[in-house]
Amino acid sequence: MNYLKYFENGCSLCPRKCMAIRTDKSSRAYCRAGADIIAARASLHLWEEPCLSGNRGSGTIFFSGCQLNCIFCQNSEISHNAKGKSISPERLSEIFFELKEAGAHNINLVSPTPYIPHIIKAVTLAKNQGFGLPIVYNSSGYERAESLQLLDGLIDIYLPDFKYMSAKLAKKYSGAKDYPDVAKVAICEMVKQQPMCVFDKNGMLKKGVIVRHLVLPGCIGDSKEIIKYLYSEYGDKIYFSIMSQYTPHGELSPYPELARKLSIEEYESTVSFAQDTGITQGFIQDGEAAEESFIPAFDFRGI
């Protein structure tokens, strides 16, 4: 496919619809992406959900640039500053095979939205050469359903965030007051494409949707609204991943309420609510998650 056609007349891949002419080197999209793929790292990642990382690791590719602007982003080095190396779709396809050779259980595309057309080309190239590992679309949840539809039949596992139910919080912390409505539609499209979770005999996920939610300090009421909504809409069709790993990061002086870690009580209250709601298909993190480093070095390894 001619992926450049999506950029020549203005980019509208994400809900921002910034209409940047990404083929013009002087024009950058809201997400900071140009016409080429910019990636910062490709390696085996052991810190995803157990059904993705397994005992060998998820073959994770970190893309640079992001359509959100979360003030607490732990990957701001690449999401806000677009640090990375330019590669072609052909090179991306080669990286899939290199990660497979290294033992990856799957290919995990992190923050892929700005590069959907490139990814379509790379995945198609790989599949035409017999590539068979599951492809994971690991995103913020701030997606256009129309763009996700371009991926139908190519993505095996969707791994979106659902960050906020409150438009006020979404605007304050991510500059996207429409996030709740957009994420609802996007996750609906993801579940439409992959309506049930399918595991192999070793418990590794082959197809399906896992929705992640990072619990923020002082925001457990919003977290509970998200859990209630998702379970009422999808029940056991999806898996839930309730994350405790929030760690203060970046310039938070205008947001003093986020300048602390999540308390054990806040997290336990959120998990208890999920259990009381009826959720049995999910993942939780232990109390030491926020102490661990979930941020790899963005040193272009594997790129």
Side-chain angles (χ1 to χ4, degrees), residues 28-287:
R28 289 283 168 170
Y30 182 94
C31 64
R32 303 156 189 87
D36 298 329
I37 301 169
I38 304 296
R41 183 181 174 97
S43 63
L44 299 180
H45 195 55
L46 293 168
W47 299 327
E48 305 288 41
E49 287 74 8
C51 63
L52 298 176
S53 287
N55 59 5
R56 300 195 304 270
S58 178
T60 306
I61 302 168
F62 288 89
F63 296 100
S64 299
C66 181
Q67 66 272 25
L68 281 182
N69 192 27
C70 302
I71 53 92
F72 51 82
C73 181
Q74 292 185 331
N75 291 348
S76 59
E77 183 180 3
I78 60 172
S79 64
H80 294 179
N81 299 324
K83 174 184 176 181
K85 181 179 178 181
S86 176
I87 61 172
S88 66
E90 290 79 9
R91 173 60 188 143
L92 180 60
S93 186
E94 290 174 356
I95 291 170
F96 296 168
F97 284 95
E98 290 167 7
L99 289 169
K100 179 181 179 181
E101 183 66 23
H105 291 286
N106 46 62
I107 298 299
N108 188 344
L109 308 173
V110 182
S111 299
T113 313
Y115 308 107
I116 285 175
H118 311 75
I119 287 166
I120 292 170
K121 184 171 183 178
V123 173
T124 301
L125 283 170
K127 288 182 179 290
N128 286 344
Q129 296 175 63
F131 192 80
L133 292 185
I135 306 293
V136 182
Y137 190 89
N138 183 339
S139 88
S140 67
Y142 194 56
E143 307 280 348
R144 288 190 69 201
E146 294 86 350
S147 296
L148 294 173
Q149 287 164 5
L150 298 173
L151 296 163
D152 195 0
L154 295 176
I155 300 300
D156 302 288
I157 299 167
Y158 281 101
L159 185 63
D161 294 337
F162 197 131
K163 294 180 181 291
Y164 316 101
M165 185 63 78
S166 163
K168 182 178 179 180
L169 290 178
K171 180 179 180 180
K172 184 177 183 181
Y173 296 146
S174 296
K177 67 179 181 180
D178 59 343
Y179 180 94
D181 291 335
V182 167
K184 287 177 183 178
V185 175
I187 291 171
C188 181
E189 174 62 29
M190 294 174 187
V191 175
K192 180 181 177 183
Q193 292 184 27
Q194 294 295 347
M196 295 297 294
C197 289
V198 178
F199 297 83
D200 68 13
K201 63 181 180 180
N202 297 315
M204 300 302 297
L205 187 62
K206 295 299 183 184
K207 292 182 179 294
V209 177
I210 301 175
V211 181
R212 287 174 163 172
H213 174 65
L214 175 65
V215 185
L216 296 176
C219 298
I220 66 171
D222 197 58
S223 296
K224 292 175 181 179
E225 288 299 315
I226 289 169
I227 290 166
K228 182 168 65 175
Y229 167 78
L230 288 172
Y231 190 69
S232 68
E233 287 291 312
Y234 302 110
D236 293 335
K237 289 183 178 180
I238 66 173
Y239 268 68
F240 297 76
S241 183
I242 304 174
M243 305 170 74
S244 66
Q245 70 190 57
Y246 175 80
T247 303
H249 183 79
E251 177 49 58
L252 295 175
S253 56
Y255 313 94
E257 69 277 16
L258 294 184
R260 66 172 176 88
K261 293 180 181 178
L262 184 73
S263 72
I264 294 173
E265 292 76 18
E266 286 173 310
Y267 186 64
E268 288 181 347
S269 175
T270 305
V271 171
S272 293
F273 179 83
Q275 292 170 332
D276 292 343
T277 300
I279 293 171
T280 58
Q281 297 186 164
F283 302 96
I284 60 174
Q285 293 180 319
D286 62 33

Side-chain angles (χ1 to χ4, degrees), residues 7 18-29 32-35:
F7 310 144
C18 71
M19 305 308 292
I21 309 299
R22 288 172 53 183
T23 51
D24 180 349
K25 291 185 178 181
S26 66
S27 174
R28 289 283 168 170
R32 303 156 189 87

